[in-house]
Amino acid sequence: MSVRHSESGFPIAPVYGPDDVAPGLGERLGAPGEYPYTRGPYPTMYTARPWTMRQYAGFGTATESNRRYHQLLEAGTMGLSVAFDLPTQMGYDSDAPLAHGEVGKVGVAIDSLADMRTLFDGIPLDKVSTSMTINAPASLLLLLYQLVAEEQGVASSALTGTIQNDILKEYIARGTYIFPPAPSLRLVSDTFAYCRDEIPKWNTISISGYHMAEAGATPAQEIAFTLANGMEYVRAAIESGLDVDEFAPRLSFFFVARTTLLEEIAKFRAARRIWARVMRDEFGARNPKSHMLRFHTQTAGVQLTAQQPEVNLIRVAVQGLGAALGGTQSLHTNGYDEAIALPTEKAARLALRTQQVLAYETDVTATVDPFAGSYFMEAMTDEVEAAAQDLIARVFDFGSSVAAIEAGFQKGEIENTAYATAKEIDSGERVVVGVNRFTVDVEEPYEPLRVDPAIEAAQRERLARLRAERDGDEVRRALDAVRAAAAGTDNVLYPAKRALAALATVGEVCDTLREVWGSYRPPESF
């Protein structure tokens, strides 16, 4: 009998028994809602209420995305998750030369307060939790959201949601960075401090392993490199003068859920245990909420196939089940057609219905951590934990997560794994249904959602009108204040908010910061 191996590379035995579980299990488990949180951050988990059902959406104009948000809320979505287009993610306005051809393509274009008003028109921001997948300019999009809430009469203290704001993984896996690492970390710390005082219920960062997993990372690599980045953010915040218990309770994480159901459950349990120990023992956090690893999960986009796309419905259901059994706090399920294009309205609704079936038709929510004590699950949780801890140690052999990034360590490890996986798929050793096994000769026709190319021209026209109608002198004074704060030590978010309120654009504020901090260029060795 051939030996199966986990995604992280260790062998999986055909049968597990008591001898496969190391002594001291009770201490490693704890109770649900208690240190080390292996069994979940809350005592009742889903027995009191299910996870938050988010659906990631955003495309074209703010008007189109607003319409989709209303549809999702009417269908039962509990929280919104905003996708921004590439120019917005990179801090460029829609009329910038580098934005040409990308406006509204992979998300919604947000250039100014006017766009953010439209995006959330008719949506009461004190009643909905909003997650925004944005990193380098994350603080600016949060400020725009806060300004819209103020216009609605909603107190900032009532706002709940998350900004991704995880710049370190951009240097590893995605590339939507703007500034060099040091000022980028300063901006993250400024956001922690600002939200502590101004938006206390907001999750100030979603430290992301998802994009590393999509780039090819194994489960062990995903949590190791993510937690190492988390440790770097904690250190940066402490060095900026913040007490760990002032900001750590608002940290959150973002992971993938693959079709390898059992290892994914073990990964989530191991990640909680490692983080609790690091926060308590290394950083001296005293507040139990600082020890809790709370996370959002998205099903694995990289595992979706353009061939026989309806099969993705099954993949997404299995992935979502793994996230739920692993104890996620919120979940996005991908549309079955996302390997082809942005999801259609029907695909988005089916993705949400997948979560609703898991939450309301199965018994997944009846009990907390049903795999606790399983010989296999406890052995695998220990193995994933040990592999991740070894990788974390290797990261910090470089001195810091940033130093390891600059040396190309994490990126190189992930690329090696991705290459090995691609070879296994090409050879047929790794089965992908509909791609290298169980194929069909003729695919059924499919009509994808298409983004109107006229959107870019319309967005440029709106920007021209905004610049013509606003008070240009007020904008210049506000941007000068942003420049002065960036060159000094003041929190950048306060003058940035005033600039955005004066109708400065996201691109103009980012350009001002580029003047002071420069733009990051990766070493050629990358």
Side-chain angles (χ1 to χ4, degrees):
M1 182 183 294
S2 61
V3 177
R4 292 277 299 273
H5 284 78
S6 75
E7 291 289 296
S8 296
F10 46 80
I12 300 176
V15 178
Y16 284 77
D19 293 342
D20 294 300
V21 180
L25 177 60
E27 183 180 349
R28 295 198 303 281
L29 277 179
E34 294 181 9
Y35 185 91
Y37 302 101
T38 307
R39 303 197 64 192
Y42 306 118
T44 57
M45 291 301 288
Y46 311 139
T47 62
R49 61 181 296 272
W51 58 90
T52 298
M53 298 178 194
R54 296 190 186 279
Q55 285 306 111
Y56 185 52
F59 60 94
T61 65
T63 299
E64 289 177 290
S65 294
N66 175 264
R67 191 178 304 119
R68 175 65 63 86
Y69 294 159
H70 280 283
Q71 291 166 350
L72 288 170
L73 290 169
E74 289 164 8
T77 294
M78 300 173 182
L80 299 175
S81 187
V82 184
F84 296 95
D85 71 357
L86 279 176
T88 304
Q89 292 182 49
M90 298 294 291
Y92 292 111
D93 290 331
S94 296
D95 58 358
L98 286 174
H100 180 61
E102 292 295 339
V103 176
K105 285 290 179 65
V106 299
V108 61
I110 298 295
D111 293 315
S112 70
L113 179 57
D115 290 329
M116 192 64 96
R117 284 183 190 129
T118 303
L119 186 65
F120 289 101
D121 183 46
I123 298 173
L125 298 188
D126 56 344
K127 300 292 194 301
V128 67
S129 171
T130 302
S131 173
M132 292 187 274
T133 303
I134 193 78
N135 293 283
S139 57
L140 305 185
L141 276 298
L142 174 59
L143 293 172
L144 290 175
Y145 188 84
Q146 184 188 19
L147 287 165
V148 170
E150 290 174 354
E151 292 177 351
Q152 290 186 0
V154 174
S156 296
S157 59
L159 296 178
T160 60
T162 304
I163 44 172
Q164 193 161 103
N165 199 27
D166 174 11
I167 196 61
L168 292 181
K169 67 95 174 50
E170 296 297 322
Y171 302 112
I172 296 172
R174 285 190 79 236
T176 60
Y177 42 73
I178 299 174
F179 316 112
S184 293
L185 285 173
R186 174 194 165 176
L187 196 53
V188 170
S189 297
D190 280 358
T191 305
F192 290 174
Y194 181 87
C195 288
R196 175 198 60 191
D197 296 334
E198 305 292 336
I199 318 177
K201 293 182 182 178
W202 198 266
N203 296 319
T204 51
I205 192 168
S206 178
I207 307 163
S208 176
Y210 180 87
H211 303 95
M212 290 186 264
E214 292 286 280
T218 67
Q221 288 173 336
E222 178 193 356
I223 63 170
F225 298 151
T226 304
L227 298 183
N229 285 348
M231 294 162 70
E232 191 83 11
Y233 291 125
V234 172
R235 288 201 182 102
I238 291 171
E239 288 171 2
S240 75
L242 295 175
D243 180 86
V244 64
D245 287 316
E246 288 183 315
F247 65 87
R250 303 315 308 171
L251 302 179
S252 66
F253 291 80
F254 176 26
F255 295 119
V256 78
R258 302 170 180 82
T259 52
T260 43
L261 177 79
L262 299 177
E263 188 174 7
E264 293 301 285
I265 298 168
K267 175 192 77 178
F268 297 134
R269 299 169 89 246
R272 279 193 292 267
R273 196 152 74 203
I274 296 171
W275 188 249
R277 187 166 54 247
V278 164
M279 293 305 292
R280 187 190 71 174
D281 297 346
E282 184 164 339
F283 293 112
R286 299 172 301 280
N287 185 345
K289 291 183 178 179
S290 299
H291 305 157
M292 296 179 185
L293 183 144
R294 299 167 302 113
F295 62 92
H296 170 70
T297 307
Q298 181 173 337
T299 56
V302 74
Q303 291 187 317
L304 302 182
T305 64
Q307 300 91 332
Q308 301 181 46
E310 293 84 358
V311 177
N312 293 328
L313 288 165
I314 295 94
R315 292 187 177 102
V316 169
V318 171
Q319 294 162 357
L321 178 61
L325 291 171
T328 192
Q329 276 57 73
S330 63
L331 176 61
H332 164 84
T333 35
N334 289 326
Y336 71 91
D337 52 358
E338 288 189 49
I340 303 169
L342 291 168
T344 60
E345 180 183 340
K346 179 181 179 181
R349 185 172 60 250
L350 283 171
L352 176 60
R353 295 290 182 255
T354 302
Q355 294 200 51
Q356 291 165 335
V357 168
L358 289 173
Y360 301 113
E361 291 192 20
T362 76
D363 53 5
V364 166
T365 59
T367 189
V368 178
D369 190 24
F371 278 92
S374 155
Y375 303 135
F376 169 78
M377 184 55 63
E378 300 304 348
M380 177 165 271
T381 299
D382 289 349
E383 291 219 56
V384 174
E385 179 183 12
Q389 286 181 308
D390 177 67
L391 281 166
I392 290 170
R394 291 175 64 193
V395 167
F396 287 107
D397 282 344
F398 288 88
S400 68
S401 185
V402 169
I405 288 168
E406 290 175 339
F409 172 67
Q410 299 98 317
K411 191 171 186 289
E413 291 290 299
I414 292 169
E415 286 175 349
N416 288 339
T417 301
Y419 179 63
T421 299
K423 286 175 61 179
E424 290 173 2
I425 293 171
D426 288 346
S427 70
E429 181 182 350
R430 180 184 294 253
V431 174
V432 181
V433 173
V435 175
N436 60 11
R437 291 275 297 276
F438 315 113
T439 58
V440 294
D441 294 331
V442 180
E443 293 282 349
E444 294 180 8
Y446 169 80
E447 184 60 36
L449 176 71
R450 301 189 187 279
V451 175
D452 187 347
I455 284 170
E456 181 174 334
Q459 195 71 10
R460 292 168 69 95
E461 288 174 11
R462 276 190 290 275
L463 272 170
R465 277 198 309 273
L466 178 130
R467 292 194 175 104
E469 295 171 359
R470 69 188 182 183
D471 186 330
D473 290 337
E474 184 182 1
V475 171
R476 280 188 289 275
R477 287 192 297 271
L479 291 175
D480 286 342
V482 171
R483 187 179 292 105
T489 58
D490 290 347
N491 191 312
V492 173
L493 271 71
Y494 289 95
K497 184 186 178 188
R498 291 190 290 273
L500 293 167
L503 298 181
T505 67
V506 171
E508 288 166 343
V509 177
C510 287
D511 284 344
T512 301
L513 295 175
R514 283 184 181 96
E515 291 174 22
V516 181
W517 292 341
S519 298
Y520 181 70
R521 294 290 181 268
E524 290 185 7
S525 59
F526 272 35

